[in-house]
Amino acid sequence: MASIKFCFNSLLVCSILVSVFFNNKVFGGSSRKPNIVLLLTDDLDVVIGGMNPLNKTRKLIGDAGVTFTNTYVASPLCCPSRASILTGKYPHNHRVVNNTLEGNCSSTAWQKTQEPVTFPALLRQHCGYQTFFAGKYLNQYGTKEAGGIEHVPPGWDYWYALEKNSKYYNYTLSVNGKAEKHGQNYHQDYLTDVLANFSMDFLEYKRNYQPFFMMISTPAPHSPWTSAPQYEKSFPNVKAPRDPSFNVHGKDKHWLIRQAKTPMTNSSVQFLDDAYRKRWRTLLSVDDLVENVVKKLETQGELDNTYIFFTSDNGYHTGQFSLPVDKRQLYEFDIKIPLLVRGPGIKPNQTNKMLVANVDLGPTIMDIAGYDIKKTQMDGMSFLPLMNGKGKNVTWRTDFLVEYEGEGHNQSDPSCPALGPGVAECFPDCVCEDAFNNTYACVRTISVSSDLQYCEFDDSEVFVEVYNMTGDPFQLTNIAKTIDQEVLAKMNHRLMMLQSCWGPSCRSAGVFDSGYKFDPRLMFSHHGPRFNKLLRQTLH
């Protein structure tokens, strides 16, 4: 921890002197802008019990504020989802489509076009916030082709970013652009605890005359699911939930779901049960981190002036539709995430059912900081009025876009040679979680009259999945072939509108706009199989 303490101590004397002036002359002490903390977990589900082990988090944030029960991601995969959080944009606007450099994950193009307009950059440049980042950034961050760990994105005063993907030991951090290698000594290297220590140091030595923004991005509960030693034997009897979609064949679904083997073998079930327990164990250290942050803020007298957000980059599944362990699919367990918020003006023990999304985090944080989001390029909406009791007259969305572009390998997996090329993420018994044509877009609708999901795949079939979530919350029955054709056409229409939206046009609150006339040839530059079929349907 010497590096961060040196960095902060060098500023300490100046901070003390300047804070006296600023607190008394400029901000008037208690009138300073609110502080903001964003706690981001990795692969934390909400549908299959991911929040259950986080007792301290639920008490200190959820019970002390508001829990949003309908929060979704723009894409159920780490890199595109994190890009949506940082930019407030849908994937079709920030153009990060998967976890590869080729998919724009932390690429030089991302760095040039999107990093300068992320909400942390705007907070620092326009709102006077000091900014701190610790943890996982984007999956390809630190790669040589993208500038290595020397690259520090604009907008961050203090930067402690993990090279590449989630790990718990034996990793490298970029400490303000310089490499800091860690081994496998628990007391010095366990990443969740290292992030907690960095955070405590920042709160101890930060500049007191400025509001601050902290983003703490934990590896948990992402694989390899390595828990702290004191939690290695926790939850000995816990198993993956046997909900109605567990170990059930995904009939009438896309071929990738149908290829899963049902019933799963005993070894596969044992594998995913073990993974489920391990995921919960890693979360106990996250719970400790949350407690440490909240207590530190309280000790420093900052808690009442600080908004704390707790969320995840995507959901997860363990055995649903006989899929072993992963995300990337269009179903609730992968696209729905937890969101808990506490802060000034938020009454405790609230539950909010409005349709909120991860593209809304940036606009909400900018709104808290007093910045007009109309000046940004963000697609999301500020849900601050939903939290502080001023949302009674706010027009809110009833539908939201989910996009994903599948990944696959050009060569066959040596461990599963019979599958052929084009698939990826193949787990026990050669059940694959991804493929090139696992490329889809969905409209998720939640309104007074409708609770629906409509999805289209960009493949040769232009496969469609539709679910009535009111009568079928576990998405067991695809009603695409039986639903009223007029409703189907309207949902298709809305999907096309959302996939072509940008900025303000993404915030339309109406589910269907029957008066909207459009020519899809003007909207799409990449005419795949799905587009061509829809074009024929629209024009004839």
Side-chain angles (χ1 to χ4, degrees):
M1 304 305 157
S3 57
I4 190 169
K5 288 182 178 179
F6 175 81
C7 180
F8 285 129
N9 280 329
S10 65
L11 298 170
L12 188 55
V13 174
C14 290
S15 295
I16 292 172
L17 293 175
V18 178
S19 66
V20 174
F21 173 81
F22 272 82
N23 279 333
N24 293 329
K25 301 294 184 181
V26 180
F27 292 109
S30 60
S31 64
R32 196 185 71 186
K33 291 180 179 180
N35 309 308
I36 306 164
V37 177
L38 174 58
L39 296 156
L40 180 64
T41 52
D42 196 349
D43 288 0
L44 176 60
D45 64 273
V46 69
V47 171
I48 61 170
M51 288 298 297
N52 289 1
L54 292 163
N55 294 322
K56 299 172 184 176
T57 300
R58 287 185 281 114
K59 178 181 178 181
L60 294 171
I61 303 179
D63 293 352
V66 57
T67 298
F68 288 90
T69 57
N70 287 309
T71 307
Y72 291 85
V73 295
S75 187
L77 189 64
C78 300
C79 203
S81 178
R82 289 163 182 266
S84 287
I85 291 171
L86 290 164
T87 62
K89 298 178 183 178
Y90 283 120
H92 70 263
N93 286 329
H94 62 58
R95 297 307 305 148
V96 178
V97 296
N98 55 43
N99 284 347
T100 66
L101 272 178
E102 294 76 15
N104 206 28
C105 180
S106 203
S107 67
T108 53
W110 154 267
Q111 294 171 13
K112 182 178 180 180
T113 63
Q114 301 302 318
E115 282 188 340
V117 293
T118 61
F119 78 82
L122 298 177
L123 278 178
R124 185 174 182 269
Q125 182 178 0
H126 298 292
C127 304
Y129 276 70
Q130 55 187 315
T131 55
F132 167 92
F133 180 87
K136 176 178 172 179
Y137 178 56
L138 302 176
N139 296 58
Q140 298 298 328
Y141 172 75
T143 57
K144 184 177 180 180
E145 298 88 340
I149 60 174
E150 293 80 14
H151 171 69
V152 177
W156 299 102
D157 293 303
Y158 303 102
W159 179 253
Y160 303 89
L162 176 68
E163 180 186 34
K164 298 185 180 178
N165 206 1
S166 282
K167 292 182 177 180
Y168 298 82
Y169 293 109
N170 299 309
Y171 54 86
T172 299
L173 294 175
S174 171
V175 178
N176 297 317
K178 295 182 179 180
E180 181 176 288
K181 295 186 179 297
H182 285 259
Q184 51 188 10
N185 182 308
Y186 167 68
H187 297 288
Q188 297 177 354
D189 303 313
Y190 188 69
L191 182 55
T192 306
D193 292 352
V194 168
L195 302 181
N197 291 335
F198 281 146
S199 303
M200 294 303 100
D201 283 343
F202 170 75
L203 291 173
E204 182 68 27
Y205 298 111
K206 61 180 171 56
R207 298 185 292 273
N208 290 326
Y209 62 89
Q210 280 182 280
F212 61 82
F213 169 70
M214 298 177 69
M215 183 170 178
I216 309 169
S217 181
T218 72
H222 195 286
S223 62
W225 314 308
T226 308
S227 66
Q230 66 269 31
Y231 298 132
E232 286 178 349
K233 296 183 180 180
S234 300
F235 313 117
N237 300 317
V238 165
K239 294 182 178 180
R242 269 52 171 176
D243 60 32
S245 64
F246 181 84
N247 205 5
V248 170
H249 185 254
K251 62 180 181 178
D252 298 326
K253 291 177 167 46
H254 191 243
W255 72 266
L256 186 67
I257 309 302
R258 299 197 307 267
Q259 56 88 39
K261 299 175 182 178
T262 306
M264 293 182 286
T265 62
N266 290 337
S267 59
S268 287
V269 173
Q270 183 178 353
F271 170 79
L272 63 88
D273 278 340
D274 187 48
Y276 192 88
R277 281 189 294 274
K278 288 179 177 178
R279 284 166 53 79
W280 273 27
R281 290 165 181 163
T282 67
L283 288 169
L284 294 176
S285 293
V286 175
D287 220 23
D288 293 339
L289 182 156
V290 171
E291 181 182 43
N292 289 338
V293 169
V294 172
K295 286 186 174 181
K296 186 68 172 180
L297 288 168
E298 187 174 27
T299 299
Q300 293 189 321
E302 298 274 15
L303 186 58
D304 290 342
N305 194 40
T306 302
Y307 287 89
I308 305 177
F309 296 75
F310 181 90
T311 190
S312 175
D313 57 1
N314 47 255
Y316 209 71
H317 59 258
T318 52
Q320 284 64 42
F321 300 126
S322 300
L323 299 169
V325 287
D326 200 50
K327 48 264 183 171
R328 305 169 205 261
Q329 312 308 336
L330 56 86
Y331 308 104
E332 291 284 282
F333 42 72
D334 285 356
I335 65 173
K336 195 170 187 178
I337 56 170
L339 176 60
L340 288 63
V341 192
R342 68 172 291 169
I346 302 178
K347 294 180 180 179
N349 296 305
Q350 289 190 76
T351 298
N352 192 295
K353 297 180 180 180
M354 301 300 279
L355 181 57
V356 174
N358 64 349
V359 296
D360 299 330
L361 286 167
T364 303
I365 290 171
M366 295 306 300
D367 195 10
I368 289 171
Y371 190 78
D372 185 359
I373 63 170
K374 293 179 182 179
K375 297 179 180 180
T376 73
Q377 303 171 15
M378 295 179 180
D379 303 329
M381 304 167 65
S382 169
F383 55 85
L384 180 59
L386 303 182
M387 299 191 294
N388 62 15
K390 300 178 181 179
K392 293 182 179 180
N393 298 320
V394 172
T395 301
W396 197 253
R397 72 158 69 86
T398 52
D399 50 5
F400 175 72
L401 177 67
V402 180
E403 302 174 293
Y404 180 65
E405 185 168 318
E407 298 179 62
H409 300 300
N410 292 323
Q411 298 178 340
S412 297
D413 187 331
S415 60
C416 301
L419 296 176
V423 295
E425 307 299 321
C426 299
F427 284 94
D429 301 318
C430 292
V431 175
C432 300
E433 296 275 3
D434 209 359
F436 281 130
N437 73 350
N438 184 39
T439 296
Y440 57 81
C442 303
V443 177
R444 183 68 178 90
T445 298
I446 298 178
S447 67
V448 175
S449 59
S450 302
D451 191 354
L452 299 169
Q453 185 180 26
Y454 174 87
C455 302
E456 296 177 0
F457 283 84
D458 190 9
D459 58 16
S460 58
E461 295 180 81
V462 193
F463 195 82
V464 176
E465 295 189 28
V466 183
Y467 298 98
N468 178 358
M469 304 300 297
T470 301
D472 182 21
F474 294 96
Q475 298 167 287
L476 301 175
T477 304
N478 178 11
I479 60 173
K481 295 181 180 179
T482 59
I483 194 172
D484 184 274
Q485 288 300 304
E486 183 179 357
V487 175
L488 202 65
K490 288 181 177 180
M491 296 176 83
N492 162 264
H493 187 154
R494 184 58 176 157
L495 178 61
M496 297 288 280
M497 291 172 63
L498 280 171
Q499 280 196 282
S500 63
C501 77
W502 180 86
S505 64
C506 297
R507 304 174 199 145
S508 171
V511 182
F512 309 123
D513 181 1
S514 59
Y516 184 81
K517 304 297 182 184
F518 73 107
D519 182 346
R521 287 173 297 191
L522 302 177
M523 295 183 175
F524 296 90
S525 58
H526 301 291
H527 297 172
R530 171 181 163 273
F531 169 84
N532 291 326
K533 182 174 180 179
L534 295 176
L535 182 62
R536 290 193 297 270
Q537 292 173 345
T538 303
L539 299 181
H540 296 288

